[in-house]
Structure formats: structure tokens, C-alpha cells
Amino acid sequence: MMAALPTGSTLLGYLGWAADETLTAQADEHAAGAVLLVREYTRGKGFQTASDGTVTVSDGIAGVIVTYGARSLSNPTSAREIEAGAFKESPGSPWSFSLVETLVLNNYRRRAG
């Protein structure tokens, strides 16, 4: 199945964040970055461009774009650890795909052999 290309609004919905103009613009940038990285990783496999220029992606690729983009949006400074008083968190790194994301993308990646 093919899905619409995820946007910043898709990321905000996934995170459950209320959208405003500034946050939507930031989310659009993170979604675009995730699309670029995923497209390069799969070498374009799983992406389709219609005659009108509309781009669709497979459901699996759409899921990876959303999860990677949301992680990037929620941790834009790539902090490995956030600490404030008794609060301590180790957010996921937005600079690499998770194991599950990599497994999904490897289904689309063209590899030698």
C-alpha cells in the first residue's frame, strides 16, 4: 500500500502536540529532513512520483519517516541526556535510525549480492 508523504502536521499528530504556525514550520523542516535521509538510504525505492508531481511512499517507509522525524523534532539538539533536578532522561538519538527503522528500510534498500 502507498501512503501520502508525511508532513510536519503528521509528526505533530503522532507526538500529540498542538500545532501552531511556528511549531508546524519546524515540524515541516524535520519531516523534510527525514524524507531526504530515508530516500537516500533506500536509494529511492519505495517512493513514487505521480505525473502531477505528488509523491507517495510505501506504508513502511511512511512509518519510518514519521518516527524518525518525530524523534528529531522532539530532540533537535541531539542531547544524549537531559537532567533538571531529580528529573533525568536519555532521549533517543535523532542522528541514526533505530533498529526497527533499519529493519524496515532494509526491505527497500538495494544491496549487492
Side-chain angles (χ1 to χ4, degrees):
M1 299 271 304
M2 298 300 282
L5 197 62
T7 64
S9 296
T10 312
L11 303 184
L12 294 174
Y14 177 77
L15 290 168
W17 293 1
D20 65 30
E21 196 172 309
T22 302
L23 187 56
T24 300
Q26 290 173 348
D28 283 339
E29 290 178 20
H30 286 268
V35 168
L36 177 67
L37 290 173
V38 169
R39 185 184 295 230
E40 290 300 315
Y41 188 87
T42 63
R43 298 181 180 118
K45 193 172 177 193
F47 288 77
Q48 289 183 352
T49 304
S51 59
D52 66 355
T54 304
V55 177
T56 56
V57 294
S58 70
D59 289 339
I61 287 179
V64 171
I65 291 169
V66 170
T67 56
Y68 181 88
R71 194 168 58 253
S72 171
L73 178 62
S74 65
N75 185 13
T77 62
S78 302
R80 299 234 182 244
E81 190 170 271
I82 300 170
E83 196 170 339
F87 174 79
K88 188 174 182 180
E89 180 182 18
S90 298
S93 171
W95 302 117
S96 62
F97 295 119
S98 72
L99 177 60
V100 173
E101 290 165 348
T102 303
L103 291 172
V104 170
L105 293 177
N106 282 344
N107 288 325
Y108 298 92
R109 187 179 171 105
R110 295 181 197 138
R111 295 187 277 183

